[in-house]
Amino acid sequence: MDITLKAEHDPMTTDTTAIRLHEETNSRRLRFRGKGEPLALIGALIVLISIFSILNPRFATLVNLQNILSQASLPLIIGVGATFVILIGSIDLSVEGVMGAAGVVFVLLSANSRGGHDLGIWAWVAAIAIGIALGAANGLILTRIKLPSFIVTFGMWFIGLGIATILYGTDALPSLTNDALTTWVSHIAFLFPNVVWLAAALLIVATLVLRFTIFGRATLAIGNNEEIARSNGMPVNKYKVVIFIIAGGMSALAGILAAMQLGAVSNNVGSGYLFITIPAVVIGGTALSGGKGGMLQTALGVLLLTVLNNGLVLAGVSPDYQSALSGAILVAAIVAAAWSQRGRLRIAK
Amino acid sequence: MSLPTKLHSLKVAVALAAAASLLLAGCSSTAGVQAAAKPLSAKDLVFVCSVINTTNPYFAANIQGCQVLGKKLGIPVEIVDSQGSSQVEISKIQAILAKGKKAVVFVNTVASSDAPTIVNAVKAAGGFVTIWWNKPDNLKPQDVGNNFVAFQKHSGIDSGKCTTKALSTAIGEKGGIIALPGVQDSTTSQTRVAGLKEELTSFPNVKLLDVRPSNWDPQVAYKNSKDLIAKYGDQIKGVWTADDGMQIGAMQAFKEAGMLDKVKFVSDGLYPPTIAAMKANEGNGAIVGETFHRGYMASAIGLYTAYLAATGAIDPSKLPAEKRDSMFKISCVTPSNLDEFLKWDNNVEGWVDQLIKTGPWKTEPVPLVAGGPEIIKPEFK
């Protein structure tokens, strides 16, 4: 009798069948999650495309497809950098400031309506360098002073914006005078605009880096459990700085492209991009807590948001209702796509 | 002394102290009113010029107007860059007021709702303020007193009517047009759209295909134009935008679609890139109508009106209603009369000299034409 009682209370000999069954169920869910969520998002996207095509036949035309992909390109380029950052469990809010600084530097150093020097390729180099410098500052302050990325990058947003404002001055809006620059972004090559191919190329490279390189695996490991990654001798701080440099560089590239697309620049050329990009990354399935997600999911998230906004305009929804309707459809699409993955590990806090 | 006696003495002391402080407060507030009513010497003044941001060409011109007037009258100028934020605007103005010099203030308000706070702060500091463009309808200068010298603007309805007439005529009085207003709840944008709708009643064959607010943002206007091109294609014969910044974005989208030389554009502001495009006959004369009013004229008129009140040259309480709530002339510009208006930009100092000579209400090309408030008819909302 005593022996039986002891066995019942000894943790080493307790019957663990129920726990194992639960873990197996979770494990099946986790295995499914890898493919299930993107598939569900694709499903939501197809439903949206079908509805919008019925509401307006012009929605499903090549011209509009070019339009949608072109509009999705800049958020996608920023999203590639943002995905790396979010995968390590951090956040980069400096996107719009970096875009402004890089865009203004690029236009002022290229042939523009204010005159000045045309540095050609060096205008690109200088603008990207600004982005890399701001990204590096983000990463170094984050890792050396150990401040939360939310605070550091929020400050860097306004530093970037401040640099853009100072450089812009109070003279007239500077516009690019070289037609080769202003038409490059939207020039159609093999059915789609150049900017779409550029975004697709960056997406593919980032996907391969994330999946097949030590750097990519380290990114996921840091996001999963930074302490374990650190105790295994991984140079976590170095990786973090590199990731913020990538994010800064991507934002700078997007700033340059936005200025080229418009043919002109102001310090707020990046206005509105942050709040397309971060939701798109998260909607795609990359967890804000880090460690889970990927580049293709981000691409799906960006597409979903772009199709939604474009479709509502083409469907003739009044601007008065567009905001609310867009939010409601988005929530519905996300609930539908994430229904099967609402496991205990993903509970939002 | 017993405890109840002590408490009684304490109560009396507190009551006396409260009465004394009330009396002092009353004295000091009376002194403030007296000081405000007394004309101020120019050497005690500072010009405060508050703009929404410093990069938009219109606001940059606001600053220019303040600086030139300050130079002419020998008064230092402080610029407030609100960075698009009401909070930044109000706190910076309050900080300048706290410095001590009597402020003569021009404010291009970020939002209508900022006006009461700013007006009250300036009044409390004994300064004088003129607000441009945005204020709540129920905030009237006469109700506040002499320190809120005037509210001034150009008519949005006239602007919308002017550009719509040019657009409708240019497309042969028939066909589809699209409209890109600014921020949806901006009074300026709403009045310009009302003018557009009102003028369209004179052109029954011109159809307003779509109205997409584009937040005064060239990027948003670019994106909305791309969507509307996909939706309506060559049904679009004309594009109306509420300001030239958005027109830049819209024109770029139509240029990319290979439609720039088939579509006509009108807008408000006559910004430098617009002038350049009109002079270069871009897109086979794509821009067919604009309006003329200038940021430097608005700020100089506003500051000069407040300056006259501060120095006692005018008594706001004795001014007629249209000089307290004022609308100044807006001119319609087409490619054929464009050159007539460019002369002003080349001689801002000369224009400010003229303003000082003729006063704030009679200076061409922006004399006072009517009193406010500007009412939108319900059918054109």
Side-chain angles (χ1 to χ4, degrees):
Chain A
M1 187 64 187
D2 283 341
I3 293 167
T4 317
L5 274 175
K6 192 181 173 190
E8 275 175 6
H9 294 286
D10 184 348
M12 300 301 289
T13 55
T14 306
D15 183 2
T16 56
T17 312
I19 297 170
R20 273 190 291 108
L21 282 174
H22 189 65
E23 287 302 320
E24 276 172 24
T25 314
N26 269 338
S27 162
R28 275 200 302 278
R29 274 191 185 169
L30 287 170
R31 275 201 302 277
F32 174 70
R33 186 197 297 159
K35 299 183 181 78
E37 196 160 289
L39 285 177
L41 262 185
I42 291 169
L45 199 54
I46 290 171
V47 170
L48 276 183
I49 290 171
S50 310
I51 292 171
F52 288 138
S53 304
I54 294 165
L55 290 174
N56 187 343
R58 278 178 181 265
F59 179 84
T61 55
L62 177 63
V63 172
N64 197 39
L65 180 63
Q66 289 169 340
N67 178 26
I68 288 172
L69 292 179
S70 164
Q71 284 183 25
S73 297
L74 295 193
L76 183 57
I77 290 170
I78 304 162
V80 163
T83 306
F84 276 117
V85 172
I86 293 175
L87 278 173
I88 58 167
S90 295
I91 194 105
D92 183 3
L93 301 180
S94 65
V95 168
E96 296 184 9
V98 175
M99 282 181 77
V104 171
V105 165
F106 174 73
V107 172
L108 293 182
L109 295 181
S110 302
N112 71 84
S113 56
R114 283 193 192 173
H117 301 288
D118 176 11
L119 300 188
I121 190 74
W122 292 104
W124 288 81
V125 174
I128 299 277
I130 283 269
I132 287 175
L134 291 171
N138 274 333
L140 288 170
I141 296 171
L142 172 80
T143 52
R144 298 292 159 89
I145 305 178
K146 302 201 186 310
L147 287 174
S149 57
F150 186 92
I151 304 296
V152 178
T153 58
F154 183 73
M156 209 57 71
W157 176 356
F158 290 97
I159 290 175
L161 215 51
I163 292 171
T165 308
I166 292 164
L167 293 174
Y168 187 97
T170 53
D171 291 347
L173 186 84
S175 48
L176 290 164
T177 49
N178 181 354
D179 271 356
L181 285 178
T182 53
T183 54
W184 185 87
V185 170
S186 56
H187 177 74
I188 308 281
F190 307 108
L191 279 183
F192 295 113
N194 283 336
V195 70
V196 174
W197 292 115
L198 176 63
L202 289 169
L203 176 70
I204 291 166
V205 171
T207 307
L208 295 176
V209 167
L210 191 61
R211 199 164 280 185
F212 298 111
T213 65
I214 295 170
F215 176 77
R217 283 192 289 275
T219 303
L220 291 167
I222 294 168
N224 259 323
N225 194 323
E226 192 175 323
E227 288 314 308
I228 292 178
R230 217 179 274 277
S231 62
N232 282 340
M234 196 180 278
V236 170
N237 286 353
K238 199 172 94 185
Y239 282 127
K240 281 187 170 180
V241 173
V242 171
I243 282 170
F244 274 95
I245 285 176
I246 292 172
M250 290 294 171
S251 295
L253 178 62
I256 295 171
L257 294 169
M260 285 168 69
Q261 201 167 43
L262 200 61
V265 75
S266 75
N267 56 345
N268 50 16
V269 70
S271 174
Y273 278 100
L274 178 69
F275 290 108
I276 304 173
T277 308
I278 290 181
V281 174
V282 177
I283 285 161
T286 299
L288 278 171
S289 52
K292 302 175 195 75
M295 296 296 165
L296 295 175
Q297 285 96 316
T298 295
L300 280 174
V302 169
L303 266 183
L304 192 77
L305 285 178
T306 315
V307 162
L308 186 56
N309 287 327
N310 168 274
L312 288 174
V313 174
L314 264 72
V317 172
S318 154
D320 297 342
Y321 297 101
Q322 188 172 336
S323 225
L325 196 60
S326 161
I329 295 173
L330 199 58
V331 170
I334 303 313
V335 168
W339 190 253
S340 57
Q341 282 84 45
R342 62 196 193 289
R344 61 191 163 96
L345 295 176
R346 299 289 297 272
I347 289 171
K349 284 182 259 188
Chain B
M1 202 185 275
S2 67
L3 187 63
T5 319
K6 273 185 186 169
L7 277 175
H8 179 73
S9 304
L10 191 65
K11 279 179 190 169
V12 170
V14 169
L16 281 173
S21 61
L22 274 174
L23 197 65
L24 279 173
C27 287
S28 61
S29 96
T30 312
V33 170
Q34 278 169 352
K38 204 174 112 189
L40 299 165
S41 160
K43 67 178 169 32
D44 298 327
L45 301 178
V46 60
F47 279 169
V48 180
C49 189
S50 177
V51 294
I52 297 175
N53 64 55
T54 56
T55 51
N56 176 296
Y58 184 82
F59 306 139
N62 277 159
I63 295 172
Q64 187 187 16
C66 295
Q67 285 170 334
V68 172
L69 186 71
K71 192 174 125 192
K72 297 279 176 194
L73 299 175
I75 293 171
V77 181
E78 295 244 25
I79 306 297
V80 172
D81 175 6
S82 306
Q83 299 166 343
S85 155
S86 300
Q87 287 309 315
V88 173
E89 171 191 56
I90 291 166
S91 61
K92 283 187 176 176
I93 290 174
Q94 285 174 332
I96 292 174
L97 292 174
K99 282 185 183 174
K101 271 199 163 188
K102 291 298 173 194
V104 174
V105 188
F106 156 84
V107 189
N108 190 341
T109 38
V110 175
S112 297
S113 51
D114 306 343
T117 314
I118 294 169
V119 164
N120 288 334
V122 174
K123 184 181 179 184
F128 292 84
V129 60
T130 303
I131 303 267
W132 260 82
W133 291 113
N134 294 305
K135 75 160 180 64
D137 280 346
N138 59 2
L139 176 73
K140 297 191 168 92
Q142 295 89 334
D143 296 344
V144 177
N146 280 1
N147 299 86
F148 183 9
V149 182
F151 172 71
Q152 303 172 332
K153 65 181 284 193
H154 294 286
S155 162
I157 293 175
D158 286 355
S159 164
K161 289 174 83 167
C162 180
T163 49
T164 306
K165 186 176 181 186
L167 184 63
S168 303
T169 310
I171 62 171
E173 301 190 8
K174 62 170 191 278
I177 62 168
I178 58 168
L180 305 177
V183 171
Q184 210 164 356
D185 59 359
S186 146
T187 319
T188 306
S189 179
Q190 285 167 352
T191 49
R192 288 179 190 169
V193 173
L196 158 80
K197 290 180 178 170
E198 192 172 336
E199 189 65 23
L200 280 181
T201 57
S202 306
F203 298 95
N205 296 323
V206 176
K207 190 180 172 207
L208 185 56
L209 297 170
D210 222 314
V211 180
R212 289 282 148 188
S214 300
N215 301 353
W216 307 117
D217 184 335
Q219 299 270 1
V220 178
Y222 168 82
K223 188 192 85 60
N224 279 336
S225 299
K226 299 273 279 187
D227 286 344
L228 293 174
I229 291 167
K231 185 176 180 184
Y232 296 105
D234 54 16
Q235 286 180 58
I236 303 171
K237 304 292 179 206
V239 179
W240 181 97
T241 50
D243 89 338
D244 281 351
M246 293 186 290
Q247 189 182 55
I248 290 169
M251 285 180 73
Q252 184 69 11
F254 279 83
K255 190 175 175 185
E256 284 176 11
M259 295 170 71
L260 190 62
D261 55 354
K262 300 183 193 84
V263 175
K264 299 301 177 196
F265 295 80
V266 291
S267 189
D268 181 284
L270 202 65
Y271 289 176
T274 308
I275 295 172
M278 286 175 87
K279 285 183 93 71
N281 203 34
E282 196 175 322
N284 192 24
I287 301 173
V288 294
E290 280 285 333
T291 58
F292 184 84
H293 60 97
R294 282 292 180 249
Y296 59 82
M297 293 180 175
S299 59
I301 290 172
L303 264 188
Y304 193 51
T305 316
Y307 168 82
L308 292 178
T311 52
I314 58 169
D315 179 353
S317 65
K318 292 184 181 147
L319 292 174
E322 71 271 16
K323 288 184 176 173
R324 302 296 297 276
D325 189 346
S326 315
M327 281 199 277
F328 291 85
K329 188 177 169 187
I330 199 162
S331 304
C332 304
V333 181
T334 60
S336 59
N337 70 357
L338 173 66
D339 287 338
E340 287 174 32
F341 293 94
L342 300 185
K343 64 182 178 195
W344 308 108
D345 293 352
N346 296 330
N347 186 15
V348 176
E349 295 215 359
W351 184 84
V352 173
D353 285 336
Q354 192 61 31
L355 170 76
I356 294 170
K357 203 166 140 193
T358 53
W361 300 293
K362 287 183 183 166
T363 313
E364 290 292 344
V366 284
L368 176 73
V369 285
E374 191 168 30
I375 308 290
I376 299 175
K377 293 177 190 162
E379 63 267 35
F380 301 125
K381 273 188 178 167

